């Protein structure tokens, strides 16, 4: 019988040996794909085309803070095999409903599908954007159900899409950018605190939040790493397709390991993998992509008076490729943008579904919410994931014609920064007070996260004050 007051105790097991680095990498690609398709492809080229490269310090701050956030969320999963939502609920159970509500407010609106519809309309020259958006959602479901393990299908797709996009971006940048453009972009990365007159603080905060993944998507790193079997996530089980996959037992709660020489040697190797996955792939390649896209926007779009915005954000940027490669370059960029935004749409819906499913799966089996949710405990996490992802896709399809009312976009922007200001102190507390001393982060990580809390709290407060 589940304890109605607290979550089940962590089970003691040995920390498994670390994977070969090629097998361990992958989540960094997923998060980098999110970064390219949100802040890097959409928000920063828009801001740079209007205000110049001097504001890129916000992007540098945003993606650097998120590297440390991702690393510390992964630290918890390696140590316990639990998601952030479960591990934090052990100390702060009252936040469980907040995470559920926040996930809905942040990710229910189908912005990516709408943008994809506009891109495909420009690419093929026919069809209403709504029809193309609905078709993209249907294609996503086909991909979701085509594999045996939900996460593996997502990761393998992004391991193809992201390198193709990055390679093509490098190629066009050799043609379009001069040394001066690169110098000004790099200079802007360190122009800390500069805000030009007329800049919309809400847009700047949103761009900073989405310079990486942003909002609750950083916390979903724990769910992706667990399904990848990183650290103690090796024992947790994976979400598999109930039609084509072999069902696995997915534990509701996690594990812990004894502090000894063998386990600590494995621990250091796992943390090194995280630093490579998040540091090299997400942070370094993500920042490079952001700088190149922004520099191209400044070099080509700004002199023409073109500002990527609204539903035409990707179509406007296609002029970068069209400038050098004509109509084929224009179409090529639209195809690249489609690949990236399709991957982002899929990843966001996957993350949204995983967050909801994880919270329902765990709290229907143990903890203080067991008495409210125990009636759904007979539903396996596999059926729950695949049924809910269909429901969320159908909800997105119904909302597409509404074009995301401004009030909900404003709420999403404010909430994205607010939840980050909220969960950074929680991460600091859990990783410095709850984890065993030998597994805790160093002072550099703690200092950066504390400064991140100040940054997001300050801008969220200013934004709320200006709105209300």
């Amino acid at each position: 019988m589940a304890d109605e007051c607290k979550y089940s105790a962590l089970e003691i097991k040995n920390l498994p040996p670390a994977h070969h680095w090629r097998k361990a990498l992958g989540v960094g690609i997923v998060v980098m794909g999110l970064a390219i398709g949100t802040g890097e492809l959409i928000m920063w080229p828009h801001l740079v085309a209007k205000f110049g490269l001097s504001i890129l310090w916000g992007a540098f701050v945003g993606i650097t803070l998120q590297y440390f956030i991702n690393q510390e969320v992964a630290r918890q999963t390696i140590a316990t095999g639990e998601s952030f939502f479960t591990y934090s609920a052990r100390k702060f159970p009252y936040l469980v409903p907040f995470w559920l509500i926040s996930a809905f407010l942040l990710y229910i609106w189908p912005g990516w599908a709408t943008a994809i519809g506009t891109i495909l309309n420009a690419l093929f020259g026919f069809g209403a954007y709504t029809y193309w958006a609905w078709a993209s959602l249907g294609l996503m479901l086909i991909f979701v159900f085509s594999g045996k393990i939900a996460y593996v299908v997502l990761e393998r797709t992004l391991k193809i899409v992201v390198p193709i996009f990055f390679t093509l971006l490098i190629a066009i940048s050799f043609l379009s950018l001069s040394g001066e453009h690169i110098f000004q972009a790099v200079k802007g990365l360190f122009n800390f605190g500069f805000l030009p007159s007329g800049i919309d603080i809400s847009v700047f905060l949103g761009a900073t939040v989405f310079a990486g993944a942003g909002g609750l998507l950083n916390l979903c790193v724990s769910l992706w790493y667990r399904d990848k079997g990183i650290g103690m996530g090796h024992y947790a089980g994976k979400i598999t397709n109930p039609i084509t996959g072999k069902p696995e037992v997915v534990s509701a709660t996690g594990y812990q390991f004894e502090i000894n020489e063998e386990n600590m040697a494995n621990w250091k190797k796992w943390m090194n993998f995280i630093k490579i996955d998040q540091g090299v792939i997400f942070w370094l390649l993500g920042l490079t992509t952001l700088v190149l896209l922004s520099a191209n926007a400044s070099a080509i779009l700004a002199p023409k008076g073109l500002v990527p915005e609204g539903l035409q954000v990707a179509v406007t940027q296609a002029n970068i490729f069209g400038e050098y490669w004509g109509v084929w370059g224009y179409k090529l960029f639209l195809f690249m943008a489609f690949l990236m935004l399709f991957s982002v749409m899929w990843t966001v819906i996957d993350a949204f579904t995983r967050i909801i499913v994880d919270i329902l799966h765990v709290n229907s089996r143990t903890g203080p919410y067991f008495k409210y949710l125990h009636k759904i405990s007979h539903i396996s996490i596999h059926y729950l994931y695949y049924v809910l992802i269909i429901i969320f896709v159908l909800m997105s399809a119904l909302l597409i014609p509404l074009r995301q009312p401004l009030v909900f976009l404003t709420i999403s922007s404010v909430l994205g920064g607010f939840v980050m200001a909220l969960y950074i102190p929680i991460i600091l507390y859990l990783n410095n007070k709850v984890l065993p001393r030998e597994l805790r982060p160093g002072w550099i990580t703690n200092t950066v996260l504390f400064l991140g809390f100040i940054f997001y709290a300050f801008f969220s407060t200013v934004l709320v004050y200006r709105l209300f």
Side-chain angles (χ1 to χ4, degrees):
M1 182 70 176
D3 190 323
E4 297 187 10
C5 297
K6 59 183 181 179
Y7 294 93
S8 302
L10 298 172
E11 183 180 348
I12 297 178
K13 289 180 176 288
N14 284 324
L15 181 62
H19 297 159
H20 188 278
W21 68 270
R22 282 178 295 184
K23 186 178 179 181
L25 301 181
V27 176
I29 289 281
V30 174
V31 186
M32 181 186 171
L34 275 173
I36 293 174
T38 52
E40 298 176 13
L41 184 63
I42 294 178
M43 303 191 81
W44 282 105
H46 164 83
L47 285 174
V48 165
K50 289 182 72 173
F51 300 105
L53 293 165
S54 297
I55 59 171
L56 277 183
W57 67 270
F60 180 75
V61 168
I63 199 168
T64 300
L65 289 176
Q66 290 184 49
Y67 160 73
F68 285 95
I69 291 171
N70 295 348
Q71 174 187 274
E72 292 312 296
V73 170
R75 183 186 302 270
Q76 296 172 7
T77 303
I78 295 174
T80 67
E82 290 189 336
S83 72
F84 169 86
F85 305 100
T86 303
Y87 193 60
S88 63
R90 291 180 176 276
K91 292 294 181 180
F92 308 102
Y94 49 83
L95 285 176
V96 170
F98 174 77
W99 300 132
L100 279 172
I101 295 170
S102 297
F104 272 96
L105 290 176
L106 281 167
Y107 306 120
I108 194 60
W109 291 97
W112 313 123
T114 303
I116 289 170
T118 306
I119 290 170
L120 293 178
N121 170 266
L123 180 61
F124 294 108
F126 65 88
Y129 83 92
T130 50
Y131 297 145
W132 285 113
W134 287 328
S136 69
L137 287 169
L139 179 62
M140 190 209 79
L141 280 182
I142 292 174
F143 276 105
V144 168
F145 280 88
S146 67
K148 296 181 179 180
I149 300 175
Y151 171 76
V152 170
V153 179
L154 177 66
E155 182 188 295
R156 286 177 178 172
T157 303
L158 283 167
K159 280 183 174 179
I160 297 172
V161 172
V162 171
I164 290 174
F165 184 93
F166 186 77
T167 301
L168 290 172
L169 179 61
I170 292 291
I172 192 62
S173 295
F174 271 111
L175 297 174
S176 61
L177 299 179
S178 66
E180 179 63 19
H181 291 132
I182 298 297
F183 173 76
Q184 291 300 326
V186 173
K187 182 180 176 181
L189 293 175
F190 302 97
N191 194 26
F192 299 114
F194 172 74
L195 289 174
S197 60
I199 193 169
D200 188 330
I201 293 297
S202 64
V203 177
F204 180 78
L205 175 62
T208 302
V209 167
F210 292 116
L216 295 180
L217 297 177
N218 296 98
L219 303 182
C220 198
V221 163
S222 62
L223 293 167
W224 289 320
Y225 273 127
R226 186 180 67 181
D227 254 29
K228 195 168 176 63
I230 296 293
M232 299 301 274
H234 170 80
Y235 303 109
K238 302 176 180 64
I239 297 177
T240 58
N241 189 329
I243 299 174
T244 60
K246 181 179 179 181
E248 293 188 19
V249 176
V250 178
S251 60
T253 52
Y255 310 88
Q256 60 184 332
F257 58 88
E258 294 180 348
I259 304 299
N260 56 44
E261 186 176 347
E262 180 182 357
N263 284 334
M264 287 307 298
N266 289 333
W267 169 263
K268 291 177 181 178
K269 291 178 181 178
W270 280 120
M271 288 305 299
N272 285 335
F273 285 138
I274 298 301
K275 290 174 181 177
I276 294 173
D277 195 32
Q278 293 297 323
V280 176
I281 296 178
F282 166 67
W283 184 84
L284 181 59
L285 296 184
L287 184 62
T288 302
T289 303
L290 191 151
V291 167
L292 292 179
L293 282 171
S294 297
N296 275 293
S298 175
I300 296 177
L301 299 184
K304 296 177 178 292
L306 297 174
V307 177
E309 56 188 343
L311 295 179
Q312 300 296 318
V313 62
V315 177
T316 302
Q317 289 184 79
N319 286 280
I320 295 175
F321 279 47
E323 180 80 8
Y324 289 92
W325 294 342
V327 66
W328 286 105
Y330 180 80
K331 298 288 187 181
L332 176 63
F333 185 88
L334 290 176
F335 178 68
M336 290 166 55
F338 161 72
L339 290 178
M340 287 313 309
L341 290 184
F342 180 80
S343 300
V344 169
M345 177 184 71
W346 181 2
T347 307
V348 169
I349 293 177
D350 174 84
F352 175 35
T353 307
R354 283 178 186 275
I355 291 169
I356 303 300
V357 166
D358 180 70
I359 291 173
L360 294 178
H361 173 71
V362 171
N363 289 279
S364 65
R365 289 162 173 78
T366 184
Y369 297 96
F370 170 78
K371 57 186 176 182
Y372 306 110
L373 298 173
H374 69 276
K375 290 185 179 179
I376 65 170
S377 61
H378 66 283
I379 304 175
S380 79
I381 191 172
H382 314 289
Y383 283 99
L384 195 60
Y385 172 86
Y386 282 90
V387 169
L388 283 182
I389 204 167
I390 292 174
I391 292 173
F392 294 151
V393 166
L394 292 176
M395 290 173 64
S396 295
L398 292 173
L399 293 170
I400 282 173
L402 299 182
R403 290 181 173 230
Q404 294 184 246
L406 181 60
V407 63
F408 288 101
L409 284 175
T410 303
I411 290 173
S412 179
S413 176
V414 174
L415 189 58
F418 175 75
V419 295
M420 296 181 79
L422 175 66
Y423 66 60
I424 288 176
I426 295 174
I427 292 172
L428 283 169
Y429 173 79
L430 294 173
N431 289 13
N432 285 280
K433 295 296 183 181
V434 181
L435 282 180
R437 186 176 299 275
E438 293 83 356
L439 310 184
R440 296 174 184 175
W443 69 270
I444 294 178
T445 295
N446 288 329
T447 301
V448 172
L449 288 182
F450 178 75
L451 293 175
F453 161 70
I454 298 297
F455 179 84
Y456 288 119
F458 173 76
F459 273 97
S460 297
T461 302
V462 169
L463 183 55
V464 171
Y465 176 78
R466 291 194 176 189
L467 289 173
F468 303 104

